[in-house]
Every structure is written in C-alpha cells, then in structure tokens.
Amino acid sequence: MDRYLGRRDRLRRGMRRAGAEALLVTDFTNVTYLTGFSGDDSYLLVRQDGEVILSDPRYATQIAEECPGLEAHVRPPGQSMLKTIVKTVGASRTQRLGIEGDSMTVALRDRIAAELPRVTLETTSGLVERLRQVKDREEVAAIRQAVWYAEKAFAVVRALLRPEKTEKAVADELEMQIRSFGAVGCSFPAIVGVGARAALPHAKATDQPIGAADFVLIDWGANGGLYKSDLTRVLVTARISPKLERVYRVVLKAQKAAIAAIRPGVAASEVDRAARQVIAEAGYGRSFGHGLGHGLGLMVHEAPRLSADSPTVLKAGMVMTVEPGIYLPGWGGVRIEDDVLVTREGCEVLTSVPKELDDALVR
C-alpha cells in the first residue's frame, strides 16, 4: 500500500472517532505528511471515500509530480480559497466537517460557517499530529540523513574554529557547510553563544568573537529536504575551568540518565524526571528551566514533548531530542543534545558527535 494512502486511512479512523465525515487539513506540514506534496498554500479535504487537494495554478505541475493519482482541485485565477473550500465541501455532501483547530484561524472558520450553514463544523486537535509522532522506516532514514549532513558540517566548522571568528561567522559557516554536503539548509538559524551568552537557550548569533571566553555553545541542525535534525555541543576553546567541568559533567550525567530511561511504554514525563533529578541533586534544579526535549520530524519542534507535564507514553518509532541544560546568568550555560529513536527494545542514539568532556576541548 502507498504509504501516504496508509496514513490517510489511519487518519480516517481517527476522524470517525471524532465524529467527522470529512476533515479539512489546513496545516501545510500535515498536508505534506498525508500526500508528499512539499509546497504550501494548499489544503487537503479528506473524506471517508477519498481525498482532494485544494491548490492554485502555481502548484499544478508540482502536485502532479509529487502526488501522482491524487485528485486535485486547482482553483482558477481570481477564485479565493474560501470559494474553493465551499464548492468542494458542498459537492461532497458532507454534513459534519472536521477542521484543524490548531491551524485554522477563527476568521476563516466563521466565513466557512456562514457560507455552509447546513454543515456542522467539528473542531479537532492533533488528529494528524498524533500520527506523525511515530515515524516509519522512510522517515527514520530521512532523519538519519539530516543528522549526517549536520555532523559533517560541524566537523568542518570545528576544524576551522579560530578565536577571531565571531558567533555570526560560525553560524553562517555552518549554514554553508550544511548546504555544501547536500542539505537544503539549516533546520533553524544556528545558535552560537560564547561564554555568558551560552546562558541564553535561544541566543541569536552576534559579532562576539569566539575567543572572548573559554567556551562556546553551538546548537544547529540540518534540513535534509523535508526531515530535520537538531544537535547541541559545547566546545572548550581554552583551559577547562573547575566550574565548567562540574557543570558539564552534571549535564552529561543527566542526559545519559534520560537516554537510559527511554523505551516503549515509559511515560515521557518519567524520562524528563530522570534528567531533572540528576541536575536537582547537584544543586542546579532552578537552572534547568525548559523541557528535556521535543519530537523531531517534518518540523524541528513537534510532538511528543519530553517534559514534566507531558501526557505521552513512548512508542517505538518516535524520534525526539534529549537536551538537558544548566544556565547560569553572567557565567554561561551548558546544553548537550542528541536525537534519539525509540526502538522495540529500548532506544538508539542517532547522533554520534563525541560529547565527553575531553572531546569538547578544541586543540
């Protein structure tokens, strides 16, 4: 069976449980997941007996190439998406239409309701996103490729690291190297934080030189085309201070504890707790202020979440980051991040950049 058809069939079962005869998919990433279409500005109407993608002439050829056999309604110039939705839903004789409450605006919902007064709109949440949590073999292979791009680029950038280079220069070089190895680009603007700026979990790269402090935090990833990777390492560019050694070892111990806890059937909150306990016992509990990790796939941040309040129970096929950190304002921060696949027996760390303290030293 075509894997996209299989995904849509699984979605149809979820739609029936939600009481929707059809679902209007308006999240562009969800459209990609269900069809293979990599463009945007297009919706997908999934019925119990079929589906149709709603798009415009810019994407007619692309849809035909990427989604052979998929019915398409390419709206003519001058026809709004609203009119296209109304026409397509009306022709389907749908009486209960599911909408994606997480992506559709209130304004569009109200306009659809006004144009289709006899159709009941059922607001849904997470129907497609829950399917996306568990990756198939092709998706895992695509993430592995994205990891490969990121790791190759990092190796080059690390070898060329010099004290006079700025955070921005390093971030730009990562982007260039990721592209040179064959990726589309970075998963997100690379985070490069020198010294005290490493205490900013989402620091924006500046003109601060690498040599302005003893260490630098680098958070980067590659967009392999559709699927993403996400890694973080701390590089020590001078002497390893006692404080840096202590903080680094605590974070690494916390990450290893969390990875050891990952297996099918374990609550995501328990994995978060495994890391958080190590950091708290070392006296840095208040300095770890974010969740342990997040799902990885078509988006660099997606379900499931590894956090104290996550309701998710891990399943084989889930891919997520594991990234504990300690952030001390005025001094800096340490975060170590790897991408991890939940397997039937436990887990597999997909990333392989060395992360022991000795490995962090740039010689």
Side-chain angles (χ1 to χ4, degrees):
M1 176 187 292
D2 175 86
R3 63 178 173 140
Y4 296 109
L5 177 58
R7 292 173 184 175
R8 296 194 294 268
D9 283 344
R10 289 194 295 275
L11 174 61
R12 278 184 260 270
R13 292 194 287 271
M15 288 161 48
R16 286 194 291 270
R17 290 191 293 270
E21 297 174 41
L23 177 68
L24 182 62
V25 181
T26 49
D27 183 298
F28 300 152
T29 304
N30 287 343
V31 174
T32 297
Y33 177 77
L34 294 168
T35 66
F37 173 60
S38 62
D40 51 24
D41 290 336
S42 304
Y43 295 166
L44 181 70
L45 180 67
V46 181
R47 309 181 307 272
Q48 291 298 332
D49 62 349
E51 54 279 318
V52 56
I53 192 168
L54 314 179
S55 192
D56 61 65
R58 293 175 299 164
Y59 295 116
T61 300
Q62 185 177 345
I63 289 172
E65 291 177 349
E66 294 182 340
C67 319
L70 182 67
E71 181 183 355
H73 184 140
V74 178
R75 54 193 169 96
Q79 183 180 99
S80 67
M81 179 61 89
L82 175 62
K83 288 186 178 180
T84 303
I85 292 169
V86 170
K87 181 177 180 180
T88 307
V89 173
S92 71
R93 300 181 182 278
T94 297
Q95 295 181 327
R96 301 181 72 85
L97 175 66
I99 60 172
E100 292 192 302
D102 299 318
S103 68
M104 181 179 287
T105 65
V106 173
L108 179 55
R109 184 202 180 283
D110 289 347
R111 289 197 292 268
I112 294 174
E115 293 286 340
L116 295 169
R118 296 184 180 181
V119 176
T120 300
L121 300 184
E122 299 284 351
T123 301
T124 69
S125 178
L127 287 180
V128 182
E129 288 82 354
R130 282 191 288 274
L131 298 178
R132 282 170 47 193
Q133 288 186 90
V134 177
K135 273 62 179 179
D136 59 29
R137 290 181 180 178
E138 289 86 355
E139 290 179 291
V140 172
I143 294 172
R144 289 185 192 276
Q145 185 65 48
V147 167
W148 185 87
Y149 291 135
E151 294 190 334
K152 288 293 185 180
F154 182 74
V156 174
V157 170
R158 174 176 174 150
L160 298 175
L161 201 64
R162 297 292 182 271
E164 65 274 13
K165 285 193 175 180
T166 65
E167 294 173 345
K168 185 178 183 303
V170 172
D172 291 345
E173 196 163 35
L174 272 169
E175 175 89 30
M176 182 187 72
Q177 292 297 337
I178 282 171
R179 289 178 180 273
S180 72
F181 278 104
V184 170
C186 287
S187 302
F188 52 90
I191 297 167
V192 183
V194 173
R197 287 180 40 75
L200 303 173
H202 286 174
K204 182 178 180 180
T206 69
D207 290 331
Q208 178 87 308
I210 299 300
D214 296 342
F215 61 96
V216 57
L217 181 150
I218 302 176
D219 185 340
W220 82 106
N223 176 354
L226 288 177
Y227 288 82
K228 316 294 191 296
S229 58
D230 187 3
L231 303 87
T232 305
R233 290 292 185 269
V234 170
L235 296 179
V236 184
T237 54
R239 181 180 62 86
I240 300 175
S241 69
K243 186 171 185 177
L244 176 58
E245 179 174 1
R246 173 170 170 74
V247 172
Y248 192 99
R249 292 194 187 283
V250 170
V251 173
L252 183 58
K253 181 179 178 181
Q255 198 215 29
K256 289 180 176 180
I259 292 173
I262 294 176
R263 61 184 181 279
V266 171
S269 58
E270 290 185 23
V271 179
D272 179 274
R273 188 179 305 116
R276 204 165 297 277
Q277 182 175 347
V278 171
I279 292 174
E281 289 177 351
Y284 295 106
R286 294 184 178 181
S287 301
F288 178 23
H290 57 73
L292 178 65
H294 53 81
L296 192 65
L298 288 168
M299 297 181 69
V300 75
H301 288 90
E302 60 180 50
R305 292 181 302 112
L306 292 180
S307 64
D309 62 349
S310 174
T312 302
V313 174
L314 301 185
K315 297 179 180 178
M318 290 180 171
V319 179
M320 63 209 68
T321 66
V322 179
E323 48 180 303
I326 293 175
Y327 310 95
L328 304 174
W331 175 79
V334 172
R335 180 170 65 254
I336 302 172
E337 177 181 20
D338 285 298
D339 303 337
V340 180
L341 167 68
V342 183
T343 64
R344 292 181 180 179
E345 297 79 22
C347 70
E348 176 190 353
V349 179
L350 302 178
T351 38
S352 60
V353 177
K355 58 187 178 184
E356 295 298 328
L357 184 56
D358 288 345
D359 299 320
L361 186 61
V362 178
R363 296 177 172 85

